[in-house]
Structures are given as structure tokens and as C-alpha cells.
Amino acid sequence: MSAEAPDSLDGPVEAPSVAFRRVTKRYPGADEPALAELELEVPGGEICVFVGPSGSGKTTAMRMVNRMVEITEGDILVGSTSVRQRSPAQLRREMGYVIQQIGLFPHRTVADNIATVPRLLGWDRKRVEARVEELLELVRIDPALRDRYPAQLSGGQQQRVGVARALAANPGVMLMDEPFGAVDPSNRERLQNEFLRLQAEVRKTILFVTHDIDEAIKMGDRIAILREGGRLAQYATPAELLMAPADDFVEDFVGADRALKRLALMRVSDIDLWEAPLAHVGQATSEARAKLPEAEVPYVLVIDAERRPLGWLSDDDLLAETVPAKPGTSPDPVLELDDVMRDALSDLLQAETRYAPVVDSEGLIAGVLSVEIISEFLTSPEALTEERPAAERPLG
Amino acid sequence: MIPVIAATVKVMLPLAQLPSNFVHHHSTTTCVAENRFFCADWAAHNFDRYVDPALKQALLVSVSVAVGFTVAMGLALLSHRQPKLAPTFTGLTGVLYTVPSVAFFFLLLPITGFGTDTAVIALSAYTLQIIYRNIVAGLANVPEEAKDAGRGMGMSQRDLLWRVELPLAVPEIVAGLRVATVSTVALATLAFFAGAGGLGQQIYSDLTFKTNIIIAGGLAMLMAILFDLVLLVIQRLATPWLRAGAS
Ligand SMILES: Nc1ncnc2c1ncn2[C@@H]1O[C@H](COP(=O)(O)OP(=O)(O)OP(=O)(O)O)[C@@H](O)[C@H]1O
Ligand SMILES: [Mg+2]
């Protein structure tokens, strides 16, 4: 796919670390600082999520990195260089920035919006064109939409264009302020997954703001929890945060359902799946019936010649001579090994089903996930042991 | 007798520069003599005499609006950079607008003399208020997040102004230009007081001859409509995203 594409034009970009060194921000006229002595370091190529209640200084922290807000005290280092030593305009052109309200230019087409920074950098037309093509593909926007205006796009599409625009000049650092805040929950889940897939390809250093702890746990390699008064409550990996909250504030913020939240750190492939009795189209149903008593799943799953799931045999189907090509019960939902466990569970619950076939990246059957597997996992001691965050693991 | 004179007039008209009230008093077709509502025959034969004044007035309007637009844009950009200046400029352009037009011409006469310059100065001064206000409003209505995104991507003040703010202000700017232009067409019929000719001169040359009033007045209205249409087309061409958004 487009895995090498973004770098083919620009050469690989080293994603620098971003370090806050006792950074304080006091807005003129305010008694309390909006951000107080923030000290943390985001390693290159990782996603750091800033999360916290409204007014806790998340946006302020992010905007000091590209000097949209001036630092009052302390310093921010990108790589080994202080942002204070860089000209704001240059610094900003080197960093992707997705603002809280997307902020697409309403008078510019999708392509022109994406081309903003490359044009500011004076790229020639051919190079800009090629880059726009590439980015549309990367964020999965139909190239036919390139000449549309933002008002003609759905919220999710606008969001993706916003991300493409921020990626345009292949920055090493991306600043994303509630990038999925304006998208409805079902689309948000898709965008999050796409974004994680994208990050696995582009490996930027990402500062990501959200006030949704679930999003933070899902997206972050590390999470910075900020509290009122712009103070850092805890800076840790999602697993650490869930297992060892630093104080009551963090514990409250993370929520009581910590075990459940850990599902966000797992993928379906991390758990032992069940095997369903399988039947091929045209096979005698008697053979399929014979498998049922021994099986973990009490239904027969029909697969095609390539082993793609077609559906479950219903009781009526079992009465017939041979296995039909269109079984009585559709296979929905079909989960993927790469799916985040929490999303898989919610898909199961939403479909009001206890079993769902799981396929690999080629769409071939890999096993069956059931609500029981998940609930067993949640009550096992394993649920409280160290896990690597989902985003760190390779994606398919 | 009457037809003979009428024929003579017809022959002479294209050749001679007639005194302005010649037509009415010396023409002798029944329609003209009785000063009926509209004498089509006379209009057809005398239309030539309106062409130059109409063109002159169109030019006067164009130049005045162009000058007014340039000055207003300058003021608006200054007050955009330096918001402290805005109340002064709003007041200034507002005061200019309150001076009665004919008085304005006469006030200027001793300074700029009798002629087109005086008319252009007065007329463009009148356009300032509406154009200035609309540019300022247009710039103020640019969505904050678009500006923020622009700055966040490393646009300079200047980039932001030319690539984001002004394009997004176009609808309001052109709306101001349209109102200013239409009212300038009307005001310009008084420009002959300043010695700038135009359709007003034709109107006042024979205020009693109805056909004359209708032709000159009609041409002025037509001119206003045409200017408005041209600006409307410009606005549509300059703001394709507005129509796209509606579809
Ligand atoms: N430009 C500004 N001038 C003055 N005060 C500001 C400014 N921007 C933010 N603040 C204040 O600083 C504090 C932190 O604001 P900030 O926008 O960083 O919070 P946030 O965590 O991003 O909140 P939200 O979740 O609502 O976006 C708030 O008290 C806010 O009122
Ligand atoms: Mg914010």
C-alpha cells in the first residue's frame, strides 16, 4: 500500500523527542498559571496523550510547542533545540498542527487545503500535486473529493483532511488538539483505528489532546494526566496508569472500570480464540452435525473454498442435505485479529450476539471470539498484569 | 412649414452642436411640440446625443468607485493591523458621508476647480463609508479557527491576509461595492454641477421636455443595473465555495 509513500518524496524524517522543562504559562491578567512547571519528555516516534478536565491547560501545553503561545518560564526542546531559538513561522511549518475545531479553510478545496504548507515552503507545482495525491490515499479520502470544498464533506472526512493537511510537509512532530472531538462515536472509533494504522506507517512524534480517558488509553503510548491549575497528576504508560494510579484524582479520572478499560490495550489476537466447527459449502450436513457435540461453539460456521466465513448454519439449514452457500444466519459482526478488544466487545454487545468469527488480515477465518472468553479474561489475574499498549505493537 | 423645419433639424442634428434647449423649443413634430409623455420618433433620431454623456458618467462612476475602493481598502488594512485606528476611520468616513452632495461640489470648487477631478473627489468620498465598513466587517467575520489554523501552519500576517482573510471577506466587500456603485451612479447625475458632465447635464438641459428626462433617467437606471450585474458576476466568480456549500 502507501507504506513507503510519504517518505518517498521527502526522505525519511527523524521524529525528534519533545521535552518540557519545567514549563509554566501565565496568561496576562490571570493570577493562577494555566500550566505549572510541566516536566515531561515524549520520546521520538511515540504518541503522548494529554488528558484532563476542561481548563487544565492541555491546549496551552500543546500550543507552546509551536509557539502559538509564548512560554512564560521554562523551556521546550524539540530534539536538542529549544523552541525559543526558532522563528515561529519556520517552527510551525515543520510541525503538523490539527487545531481543536479542525479549521479547514472554507474557501479552499480539499486539495488546496492539504497543499497549504507545501506552498508556503515554495514547493513546485508537480511536487505539491504528487504529495496531495499521496496524502489523499494515506488518509483514505476518495480522490474524487479533491476538488470539493470543506462544507461539502462529512465531519469525518473533514477530520481526515485536517490530518492530511497537518502531515503535508512530512513533519517530524504532530500536534493534534482533540482531533476527533467533533466526530460521532461510531465514526470516531474508525478514525482512531485508521490513525493508529497511519502512525504505525509514519512514526511521528505526536502530542495528542483529548478529554476522553478511553481515547487516551487507546491512542497513547504515554498519557499525561493534567488537573485543575495546569498541574501534571501523572505521566505514565496506559497500563501503568490503570494498574498504579498515582493518587485519588487519577484513580477517579481513570474510572472504576479499570479492568474493563484494559481491554483497550489488547487486540483480539492477544487472547486464545475458540474454534468453531467449520463446514464447506456443498458438504453433507451430517458431517457438520457430527462435529457439534465436541465443539466449543455450539454452531457451525460455513466457510468458502478460501476459508472466508459466510455465516452460521441455522437449525433449518442443518435439516437440509448439504451445506448451503447462503446460510440462514449472517456472520455479522466479523472481527479482525487486529481489532482492539474493547471495540470487539462493543461490536458483540451491539449485535446482541455471543459469538463472532475472527479473521486475519486476508479475511480468512482465524477463530471465534465469544463474550465468555472476554469475561473470563476480565476475572483472571492476567487482566491485572503488565501489557504493552496497543499502539506500540505492529499492525497488520 | 412645420415638416420643412423638422426635416431641416433632422439633417442638422448630427452635424451641429446644438444649444441644449434647442430641441424642445425649436422642434416641431406634434409629439415634441405638445411635449407628450414619450416621443419615440424623436428618441430614435436623437439617441446619439446621450451616448457620450452616458459613457462619460460610466467612466466617472468607475473611476470614483475605484478610487474610493482603493482608499477604503488602505484604511481598512491599516485599522486591521492597528485596531486603535478603527474608530477614527469609521468617524471620518461617516462624516464625509453626511455632507450634502451639491454642497460638497461647491466646497471643493475653489480648491480643485471646475471639472472631473472635483466630481471624482466628491463621489469617491461618498463611497468610502460603505466600502470601508464592509471591508472591516468582512475581515472581522473571518472564522477565528481558520485564522488560527493558518497561523499554526506558519503563515505570516501577510500570507494570512492575502490567502485567508481577504478571500473570505470577498462576499461582504463586494456587497459594499455594489451598494456604493449603485448610489454613485445616482449621485453622478449631479456631477455636472462640478463641471463633469454626464447624463445629469442632459436632464437639466431641458427639465421640461419629458422625453429627454425619460431617456436620460432611464439610461442612468440601466447603468446602475448593469454595474450591479457586473459586480454580481465578479462576486460569483470570486466565491465558488459559497455555491458549492449550498449544493
Ligand atoms: N488566550 C488566553 N488568554 C487568557 N487565558 C487563557 C487563554 N487561553 C486559555 N486560557 C486559560 O488558561 C486555562 C487553560 O486553558 P486551555 O485552553 O489550555 O485548557 P484545555 O485543557 O485545553 O481546556 P479544554 O478541554 O476546554 O479545551 C483556562 O483557565 C483558560 O481560561
Ligand atoms: Mg483545549
Side-chain angles (χ1 to χ4, degrees), chain B residues 2-3 5-7 10 23-24 26-42 209 211:
Chain B
I2 289 167
I5 295 176
K10 269 181 204 162
V23 189
H24 181 36
H26 301 267
S27 299
T28 43
T29 63
T30 3
C31 177
V32 173
E34 291 175 8
N35 193 9
R36 289 191 198 147
F37 182 67
F38 186 69
C39 304
D41 198 41
W42 185 90
F209 182 32
T211 305

Side-chain angles (χ1 to χ4, degrees), chain A residues 27-28 30 33-35 52-61 69 100 177-178 209-211 226:
Chain A
Y27 285 106
L35 198 71
S54 190
S56 56
K58 306 182 294 292
T59 299
T60 301
V69 168
Q100 199 159 352
D177 199 345
E178 306 207 18
V209 165
T210 179
H211 54 240
L226 293 170

Side-chain angles (χ1 to χ4, degrees), chain A residues 333-354:
Chain A
V334 176
L335 305 172
E336 289 186 28
L337 283 173
D338 265 345
D339 284 347
V340 171
M341 192 64 87
R342 185 169 59 88
D343 299 340
L345 176 61
S346 85
D347 286 348
L348 282 173
L349 297 178
Q350 230 162 45
E352 295 182 19
T353 171
R354 289 168 57 201

Side-chain angles (χ1 to χ4, degrees), chain A residues 31-337:
Chain A
D31 302 334
E32 294 295 306
L35 198 71
E37 304 197 338
L38 179 66
E39 172 89 26
L40 61 81
E41 181 158 345
V42 186
E46 289 201 0
I47 302 181
C48 169
V49 180
F50 287 83
V51 66
S54 190
S56 56
K58 306 182 294 292
T59 299
T60 301
M62 168 168 289
R63 283 165 76 90
M64 282 189 288
V65 177
N66 65 356
R67 297 194 60 181
M68 287 294 281
V69 168
E70 283 304 315
I71 301 170
T72 312
E73 278 161 38
D75 202 356
I76 297 176
L77 304 180
V78 175
S80 52
T81 320
S82 161
V83 296
R84 289 167 175 264
Q85 284 161 13
R86 306 289 317 278
S87 98
Q90 278 207 342
L91 191 67
R92 290 169 195 168
R93 289 172 195 186
E94 286 172 22
M95 290 185 184
Y97 183 32
V98 182
I99 70 164
Q100 199 159 352
Q101 310 84 349
I102 315 178
L104 294 182
F105 299 132
H107 62 299
R108 294 211 181 163
T109 61
V110 167
D112 288 339
N113 262 286
I114 295 176
T116 306
V117 179
R119 285 192 187 137
L120 286 174
L121 292 172
W123 292 14
D124 63 58
R125 260 184 53 187
K126 272 216 180 99
R127 186 167 172 216
V128 173
E129 277 298 296
R131 183 62 177 157
V132 168
E133 283 317 291
E134 232 174 32
L135 285 161
L136 287 173
E137 191 188 326
L138 193 68
V139 301
R140 301 200 174 162
I141 290 271
D142 181 355
L145 299 182
R146 53 170 293 141
D147 294 322
R148 294 263 187 103
Y149 291 97
Q152 297 170 294
L153 302 179
S154 71
Q157 288 168 337
Q158 292 185 16
Q159 208 61 255
R160 270 180 271 216
V161 174
V163 172
R165 183 173 71 170
L167 283 168
N170 199 24
V173 177
M174 292 273 283
L175 309 174
M176 309 180 75
D177 199 345
E178 306 207 18
F180 310 136
V183 185
D184 60 272
S186 64
N187 275 318
R188 183 185 308 186
E189 190 186 308
R190 260 221 341 269
L191 284 170
Q192 289 168 343
N193 293 342
E194 280 178 18
F195 187 76
L196 286 174
R197 171 187 58 77
L198 193 69
Q199 165 66 353
E201 286 177 23
V202 297
R203 287 281 164 201
K204 309 289 183 195
T205 307
I206 297 172
L207 274 62
F208 188 108
V209 165
T210 179
H211 54 240
D212 174 359
I213 183 69
D214 290 314
E215 185 168 69
I217 290 170
K218 179 170 175 183
M219 306 295 287
D221 295 310
R222 281 152 205 273
I223 299 176
I225 297 198
L226 293 170
R227 58 192 300 175
E228 295 82 357
R231 277 165 304 144
L232 182 66
Q234 188 167 6
Y235 181 52
T237 64
E240 277 174 316
L241 209 64
L242 290 171
M243 279 181 306
D247 56 20
D248 290 350
F249 173 81
V250 176
E251 192 161 357
D252 265 9
F253 199 83
V254 171
D257 53 343
R258 285 197 276 142
L260 203 60
K261 287 208 163 75
R262 299 220 42 201
L263 292 178
L265 301 179
M266 304 179 59
R267 296 190 181 276
V268 174
S269 52
D270 294 334
I271 215 164
D272 289 331
L273 298 174
W274 285 356
E275 273 178 41
L278 300 175
H280 287 281
V281 177
Q283 202 179 357
T285 47
S286 55
E287 288 173 38
R289 272 199 305 268
K291 291 180 182 170
L292 270 176
E294 316 262 291
E296 290 174 296
V297 182
Y299 300 100
V300 177
L301 185 66
V302 184
I303 53 176
D304 65 12
E306 264 120 60
R307 299 182 65 82
R308 270 186 268 269
L310 297 173
W312 302 98
L313 286 187
S314 65
D315 293 346
D316 283 350
D317 292 333
L318 282 173
L319 295 176
E321 271 302 294
T322 58
V323 174
K326 267 199 179 299
T329 314
S330 81
D332 295 335
V334 176
L335 305 172
E336 289 186 28
L337 283 173

